[in-house]
Amino acid sequence: MTHPIIFDTDPGVDDAQAIAIALRHPEIELLGMTTTYGNVDVETATHNALLLAELAGREIPVAQGAAGPMVKDRHPPPAHIHGANGLGDIALPPVTGRAEGVSAAQFIVDTVTARPGEVTLVAVGPVGNLAAALQLDPGIIDKVKHVVIMGGSIREGGNVSPVAEANMFNDPDAAARVLTAGWPLTLVGLDVTHRCVLTDAHMARIEAGQGELGKVLAGSFAFYRDFYREALGIDGCCPHDSCALAWLLRPELFTTAPGHLTVSTDGDAEGQTIFAPEGRGFIEARWSRTPLVEVCLGVDGAAVSDWIADTLA
Protein backbone atom coordinates (compact mmCIF):
# COMPACT_ATOMS: atom_id res chain seq x y z
CA MET A 1 0.00 0.00 0.00
CA THR A 2 1.22 3.48 -0.89
CA HIS A 3 0.72 6.40 1.49
CA PRO A 4 0.20 9.78 -0.20
CA ILE A 5 1.57 12.34 2.28
CA ILE A 6 2.24 16.03 2.76
CA PHE A 7 5.33 16.48 4.92
CA ASP A 8 5.16 19.61 7.10
CA THR A 9 8.67 20.41 8.24
CA ASP A 10 11.28 22.84 9.63
CA PRO A 11 14.53 21.22 8.41
CA GLY A 12 16.53 20.66 10.79
CA VAL A 13 18.96 17.74 10.94
CA ASP A 14 16.43 15.12 11.98
CA ASP A 15 13.93 16.59 9.50
CA ALA A 16 16.51 16.03 6.75
CA GLN A 17 16.80 12.38 7.69
CA ALA A 18 13.02 12.00 7.58
CA ILE A 19 12.76 13.85 4.26
CA ALA A 20 15.30 11.43 2.80
CA ILE A 21 13.03 8.55 3.87
CA ALA A 22 9.97 10.23 2.36
CA LEU A 23 11.86 10.76 -0.90
CA ARG A 24 13.09 7.19 -1.13
CA HIS A 25 10.61 4.78 0.44
CA PRO A 26 8.55 2.96 -2.21
CA GLU A 27 5.43 3.01 -0.02
CA ILE A 28 5.40 6.82 0.27
CA GLU A 29 4.00 9.14 -2.38
CA LEU A 30 5.40 12.52 -1.37
CA LEU A 31 2.83 15.00 -2.69
CA GLY A 32 4.67 18.01 -1.35
CA MET A 33 6.47 19.60 1.55
CA THR A 34 5.19 22.56 3.55
CA THR A 35 7.64 24.58 5.58
CA THR A 36 7.53 26.37 8.91
CA TYR A 37 9.84 28.12 11.34
CA GLY A 38 11.17 26.15 14.32
CA ASN A 39 14.61 24.62 14.02
CA VAL A 40 15.36 27.48 11.62
CA ASP A 41 13.51 30.51 10.25
CA VAL A 42 10.94 29.69 7.58
CA GLU A 43 13.03 30.99 4.68
CA THR A 44 15.90 28.68 5.64
CA ALA A 45 13.43 25.83 6.10
CA THR A 46 12.15 26.36 2.55
CA HIS A 47 15.70 26.52 1.18
CA ASN A 48 16.62 23.28 2.94
CA ALA A 49 13.51 21.44 1.78
CA LEU A 50 14.16 22.43 -1.83
CA LEU A 51 17.83 21.51 -1.52
CA LEU A 52 17.23 18.06 -0.06
CA ALA A 53 14.77 17.17 -2.82
CA GLU A 54 17.18 18.39 -5.49
CA LEU A 55 20.07 16.39 -4.02
CA ALA A 56 17.84 13.31 -4.24
CA GLY A 57 17.07 14.09 -7.89
CA ARG A 58 13.38 14.75 -7.20
CA GLU A 59 11.07 17.61 -8.12
CA ILE A 60 8.75 17.98 -5.14
CA PRO A 61 6.42 20.95 -4.59
CA VAL A 62 7.49 23.04 -1.58
CA ALA A 63 5.06 25.59 -0.13
CA GLN A 64 6.28 28.11 2.43
CA GLY A 65 4.19 28.63 5.54
CA ALA A 66 4.20 29.97 9.08
CA ALA A 67 6.98 32.38 10.00
CA GLY A 68 6.02 32.49 13.68
CA PRO A 69 3.48 31.36 16.26
CA MET A 70 -0.23 32.18 16.11
CA VAL A 71 -0.21 34.20 19.35
CA LYS A 72 3.15 34.08 21.16
CA ASP A 73 6.43 35.75 20.36
CA ARG A 74 8.78 33.53 18.35
CA HIS A 75 11.68 31.92 20.15
CA PRO A 76 15.09 32.10 18.42
CA PRO A 77 16.04 29.04 16.35
CA PRO A 78 18.23 26.57 18.30
CA ALA A 79 21.44 27.07 16.33
CA HIS A 80 23.41 25.17 18.98
CA ILE A 81 21.42 22.02 18.10
CA HIS A 82 20.97 22.20 14.32
CA GLY A 83 23.44 24.88 13.26
CA ALA A 84 22.59 28.32 11.95
CA ASN A 85 21.72 26.87 8.54
CA GLY A 86 19.76 23.97 10.06
CA LEU A 87 22.11 21.38 8.61
CA GLY A 88 25.04 21.44 10.99
CA ASP A 89 26.64 24.55 9.42
CA ILE A 90 28.20 22.42 6.69
CA ALA A 91 28.79 24.01 3.28
CA LEU A 92 25.72 23.56 1.08
CA PRO A 93 25.35 23.69 -2.71
CA PRO A 94 23.08 26.30 -4.31
CA VAL A 95 19.39 25.69 -4.84
CA THR A 96 17.77 26.10 -8.26
CA GLY A 97 14.11 25.53 -7.39
CA ARG A 98 11.55 27.90 -5.92
CA ALA A 99 8.66 27.58 -3.53
CA GLU A 100 5.11 27.28 -4.82
CA GLY A 101 3.07 30.41 -5.36
CA VAL A 102 0.54 29.46 -2.69
CA SER A 103 0.91 29.36 1.08
CA ALA A 104 1.51 26.12 2.94
CA ALA A 105 -2.01 26.24 4.39
CA GLN A 106 -3.59 26.71 0.96
CA PHE A 107 -1.43 23.91 -0.47
CA ILE A 108 -2.66 21.58 2.27
CA VAL A 109 -6.31 22.49 1.67
CA ASP A 110 -6.04 22.20 -2.12
CA THR A 111 -4.20 18.87 -2.03
CA VAL A 112 -6.47 17.25 0.54
CA THR A 113 -9.58 18.51 -1.25
CA ALA A 114 -8.37 17.09 -4.57
CA ARG A 115 -7.87 13.64 -3.03
CA PRO A 116 -10.43 13.27 -0.23
CA GLY A 117 -9.83 10.34 2.09
CA GLU A 118 -6.38 9.63 0.68
CA VAL A 119 -3.85 12.12 2.07
CA THR A 120 -1.98 11.78 5.37
CA LEU A 121 -0.50 14.92 6.90
CA VAL A 122 2.82 14.25 8.62
CA ALA A 123 3.87 17.27 10.69
CA VAL A 124 7.26 17.31 12.40
CA GLY A 125 7.62 20.96 13.44
CA PRO A 126 5.38 23.55 15.09
CA VAL A 127 1.93 22.91 13.66
CA GLY A 128 0.88 26.43 12.62
CA ASN A 129 0.42 25.40 8.99
CA LEU A 130 -2.12 22.77 9.97
CA ALA A 131 -3.92 25.24 12.22
CA ALA A 132 -4.04 27.75 9.37
CA ALA A 133 -5.38 25.09 7.00
CA LEU A 134 -8.16 24.36 9.49
CA GLN A 135 -8.96 28.07 9.55
CA LEU A 136 -9.14 28.20 5.75
CA ASP A 137 -11.33 25.10 5.47
CA PRO A 138 -12.60 23.38 8.62
CA GLY A 139 -14.02 20.69 6.32
CA ILE A 140 -10.58 19.18 5.78
CA ILE A 141 -11.09 17.43 9.13
CA ASP A 142 -13.34 15.00 7.27
CA LYS A 143 -11.19 14.85 4.12
CA VAL A 144 -7.77 13.82 5.45
CA LYS A 145 -6.99 10.15 5.86
CA HIS A 146 -4.82 10.64 8.94
CA VAL A 147 -2.67 13.20 10.77
CA VAL A 148 0.66 12.14 12.29
CA ILE A 149 2.31 14.64 14.62
CA MET A 150 5.87 14.34 15.85
CA GLY A 151 5.71 16.27 19.08
CA GLY A 152 4.63 16.30 22.67
CA SER A 153 5.46 14.11 25.60
CA ILE A 154 3.13 12.00 27.73
CA ARG A 155 5.40 10.47 30.40
CA GLU A 156 8.88 11.46 29.29
CA GLY A 157 8.97 15.09 30.38
CA GLY A 158 10.04 17.91 28.13
CA ASN A 159 13.14 18.81 26.16
CA VAL A 160 12.78 22.62 26.22
CA SER A 161 11.03 22.93 29.59
CA PRO A 162 10.49 20.43 32.39
CA VAL A 163 7.21 19.40 30.74
CA ALA A 164 7.12 20.65 27.14
CA GLU A 165 8.50 19.26 23.89
CA ALA A 166 9.91 21.83 21.45
CA ASN A 167 7.27 21.69 18.69
CA MET A 168 4.41 22.06 21.15
CA PHE A 169 6.21 24.82 23.07
CA ASN A 170 7.01 26.82 19.92
CA ASP A 171 3.31 27.29 19.15
CA PRO A 172 1.08 25.93 21.91
CA ASP A 173 -2.00 27.74 20.60
CA ALA A 174 -1.70 26.06 17.20
CA ALA A 175 -1.00 22.73 18.91
CA ALA A 176 -4.12 23.07 21.06
CA ARG A 177 -6.19 23.63 17.89
CA VAL A 178 -4.64 20.85 15.83
CA LEU A 179 -4.52 18.13 18.50
CA THR A 180 -8.18 18.66 19.42
CA ALA A 181 -9.62 19.23 15.92
CA GLY A 182 -11.38 15.89 15.71
CA TRP A 183 -9.53 14.38 12.75
CA PRO A 184 -7.86 10.94 12.94
CA LEU A 185 -4.60 11.72 14.71
CA THR A 186 -1.58 9.92 16.14
CA LEU A 187 0.96 11.67 18.36
CA VAL A 188 4.54 10.40 18.10
CA GLY A 189 6.33 12.11 20.96
CA LEU A 190 9.42 11.99 23.13
CA ASP A 191 8.17 8.85 24.88
CA VAL A 192 9.23 6.93 21.78
CA THR A 193 11.67 9.19 19.93
CA HIS A 194 14.03 9.22 22.92
CA ARG A 195 14.16 5.42 22.72
CA CYS A 196 15.58 5.49 19.17
CA VAL A 197 19.23 6.28 18.42
CA LEU A 198 21.03 6.59 15.09
CA THR A 199 24.68 5.66 15.58
CA ASP A 200 27.85 6.33 13.61
CA ALA A 201 27.48 2.85 12.11
CA HIS A 202 23.94 3.60 10.96
CA MET A 203 25.06 6.88 9.42
CA ALA A 204 28.00 5.31 7.61
CA ARG A 205 25.55 3.02 5.83
CA ILE A 206 23.22 5.93 5.08
CA GLU A 207 26.02 8.08 3.70
CA ALA A 208 27.15 5.28 1.41
CA GLY A 209 23.64 4.71 0.10
CA GLN A 210 22.47 8.27 -0.49
CA GLY A 211 24.95 9.84 -2.90
CA GLU A 212 25.12 13.64 -2.70
CA LEU A 213 22.25 13.69 -0.24
CA GLY A 214 24.18 11.23 1.93
CA LYS A 215 27.04 13.73 2.30
CA VAL A 216 24.64 16.32 3.71
CA LEU A 217 22.98 13.81 6.01
CA ALA A 218 26.33 12.61 7.35
CA GLY A 219 27.83 16.08 7.73
CA SER A 220 24.82 17.43 9.60
CA PHE A 221 24.62 14.27 11.72
CA ALA A 222 28.07 14.95 13.17
CA PHE A 223 26.96 18.36 14.50
CA TYR A 224 23.71 16.93 15.90
CA ARG A 225 25.50 13.96 17.49
CA ASP A 226 27.82 16.29 19.38
CA PHE A 227 24.81 18.04 20.91
CA TYR A 228 23.28 14.74 22.04
CA ARG A 229 26.53 13.54 23.56
CA GLU A 230 26.68 16.66 25.73
CA ALA A 231 22.97 17.02 26.48
CA LEU A 232 21.84 13.42 27.02
CA GLY A 233 25.00 11.32 27.00
CA ILE A 234 23.82 9.53 23.84
CA ASP A 235 26.40 8.17 21.40
CA GLY A 236 24.44 9.16 18.32
CA CYS A 237 21.26 11.16 17.82
CA CYS A 238 17.53 10.72 18.31
CA PRO A 239 15.88 10.62 14.87
CA HIS A 240 12.71 12.28 16.15
CA ASP A 241 11.06 13.13 12.85
CA SER A 242 11.82 9.84 11.14
CA CYS A 243 9.87 8.14 13.93
CA ALA A 244 6.66 9.70 12.58
CA LEU A 245 7.25 7.95 9.25
CA ALA A 246 8.28 4.77 11.03
CA TRP A 247 4.92 4.73 12.81
CA LEU A 248 3.11 5.28 9.49
CA LEU A 249 4.92 2.42 7.75
CA ARG A 250 5.81 0.07 10.64
CA PRO A 251 3.13 0.62 13.30
CA GLU A 252 3.74 -2.84 14.75
CA LEU A 253 6.98 -1.51 16.23
CA PHE A 254 5.05 0.89 18.46
CA THR A 255 2.74 0.56 21.45
CA THR A 256 -0.11 3.05 21.39
CA ALA A 257 -3.07 4.01 23.55
CA PRO A 258 -6.31 5.90 22.83
CA GLY A 259 -7.29 8.90 24.87
CA HIS A 260 -7.89 12.63 25.02
CA LEU A 261 -5.24 15.32 24.52
CA THR A 262 -5.11 18.92 25.59
CA VAL A 263 -2.25 21.40 25.34
CA SER A 264 -1.45 24.00 27.99
CA THR A 265 -1.07 27.41 26.37
CA ASP A 266 0.09 29.57 29.30
CA GLY A 267 2.07 29.58 32.51
CA ASP A 268 4.84 27.29 33.69
CA ALA A 269 3.24 24.32 31.89
CA GLU A 270 3.08 26.14 28.53
CA GLY A 271 3.34 23.63 25.69
CA GLN A 272 2.69 20.58 27.86
CA THR A 273 0.62 17.84 26.25
CA ILE A 274 -1.86 16.46 28.78
CA PHE A 275 -3.19 12.97 28.06
CA ALA A 276 -6.27 11.39 29.64
CA PRO A 277 -6.48 7.67 28.75
CA GLU A 278 -9.79 6.54 27.29
CA GLY A 279 -12.19 5.33 30.00
CA ARG A 280 -10.12 6.65 32.90
CA GLY A 281 -12.19 8.54 35.45
CA PHE A 282 -10.88 11.75 37.00
CA ILE A 283 -12.33 14.11 39.59
CA GLU A 284 -13.79 16.22 36.76
CA ALA A 285 -14.75 15.34 33.20
CA ARG A 286 -12.87 18.25 31.59
CA TRP A 287 -9.72 16.26 30.83
CA SER A 288 -11.75 13.91 28.65
CA ARG A 289 -13.71 16.57 26.79
CA THR A 290 -11.61 16.48 23.60
CA PRO A 291 -11.95 14.00 20.72
CA LEU A 292 -10.25 10.64 20.97
CA VAL A 293 -6.77 10.39 19.48
CA GLU A 294 -3.93 7.87 19.61
CA VAL A 295 -0.60 8.43 21.35
CA CYS A 296 2.59 6.40 21.13
CA LEU A 297 3.83 5.22 24.53
CA GLY A 298 6.34 2.49 23.68
CA VAL A 299 8.60 1.44 20.83
CA ASP A 300 11.21 -1.09 19.77
CA GLY A 301 13.83 1.60 19.45
CA ALA A 302 16.56 -0.61 18.03
CA ALA A 303 14.23 -1.93 15.33
CA VAL A 304 13.12 1.57 14.33
CA SER A 305 16.72 2.82 14.16
CA ASP A 306 17.72 -0.17 12.03
CA TRP A 307 14.67 0.39 9.79
CA ILE A 308 15.76 3.98 9.17
CA ALA A 309 19.26 2.87 8.19
CA ASP A 310 17.93 -0.01 6.08
CA THR A 311 15.59 2.35 4.23
CA LEU A 312 18.33 4.82 3.41
CA ALA A 313 21.30 2.48 2.93
Side-chain angles (χ1 to χ4, degrees):
M1 182 175 67
T2 300
H3 299 271
I5 73 167
I6 296 172
F7 196 73
D8 190 64
T9 178
D10 57 336
V13 178
D14 56 325
D15 302 72
Q17 297 160 1
I19 288 168
I21 293 171
L23 290 165
R24 166 168 283 203
H25 202 286
E27 295 176 23
I28 291 178
E29 180 186 1
L30 183 56
L31 303 176
M33 290 186 274
T34 50
T35 61
T36 180
Y37 77 97
N39 293 326
V40 289
D41 61 67
V42 70
E43 293 81 11
T44 302
T46 300
H47 172 276
N48 290 350
L50 289 165
L51 173 65
L52 294 164
E54 289 179 11
L55 290 175
R58 299 283 303 278
E59 292 186 14
I60 302 294
V62 175
Q64 185 165 299
M70 291 175 60
V71 177
K72 310 287 184 179
D73 293 333
R74 194 184 86 177
H75 297 284
H80 65 294
I81 301 176
H82 295 272
N85 69 357
L87 296 173
D89 288 336
I90 62 174
L92 299 172
V95 169
T96 60
R98 287 187 167 189
E100 299 294 295
V102 298
S103 69
Q106 191 66 59
F107 182 86
I108 290 170
V109 169
D110 292 346
T111 305
V112 169
T113 300
R115 298 180 65 168
E118 296 183 25
V119 179
T120 294
L121 307 180
V122 182
V124 298
V127 293
N129 289 334
L130 275 64
L134 288 169
Q135 185 71 20
L136 283 176
D137 181 7
I140 64 170
I141 289 170
D142 299 316
K143 297 174 187 175
V144 299
K145 181 178 182 181
H146 207 86
V147 178
V148 185
I149 305 291
M150 188 277 117
S153 174
I154 308 304
R155 300 169 177 164
E156 181 75 0
N159 60 357
V160 293
S161 87
V163 295
E165 179 274 333
N167 290 336
M168 302 293 104
F169 186 77
N170 272 328
D171 197 344
D173 298 278
R177 176 73 180 97
V178 169
L179 269 59
T180 64
W183 44 17
L185 183 142
T186 300
L187 189 74
V188 184
L190 300 183
D191 302 271
V192 294
T193 67
H194 274 172
R195 309 282 89 76
C196 305
V197 178
L198 282 185
T199 65
D200 286 346
H202 287 130
M203 189 50 62
R205 294 180 60 211
I206 292 169
E207 181 177 11
Q210 285 287 307
E212 291 301 309
L213 178 55
K215 295 177 184 177
V216 171
L217 296 177
S220 60
F221 167 84
F223 189 99
Y224 202 46
R225 177 197 58 207
D226 290 346
F227 165 77
Y228 271 98
R229 280 179 175 165
E230 181 176 345
L232 295 181
I234 293 174
D235 190 16
C237 75
C238 295
H240 299 282
D241 296 343
S242 296
C243 293
L245 294 176
W247 177 85
L248 183 66
L249 297 173
R250 295 293 305 277
E252 71 277 7
L253 299 179
F254 294 79
T255 302
T256 63
H260 309 268
L261 277 176
T262 54
V263 180
S264 178
T265 58
D266 289 295
D268 288 345
E270 180 181 354
Q272 181 179 14
T273 45
I274 302 166
F275 177 67
E278 182 183 21
R280 171 85 180 270
F282 294 97
I283 194 168
E284 294 180 9
R286 56 182 160 133
W287 290 284
S288 301
R289 71 189 182 277
T290 59
L292 277 173
V293 298
E294 179 181 41
V295 302
C296 293
L297 296 177
V299 66
D300 184 338
V304 167
S305 301
D306 289 343
W307 174 85
I308 293 168
D310 291 343
T311 299
L312 297 177

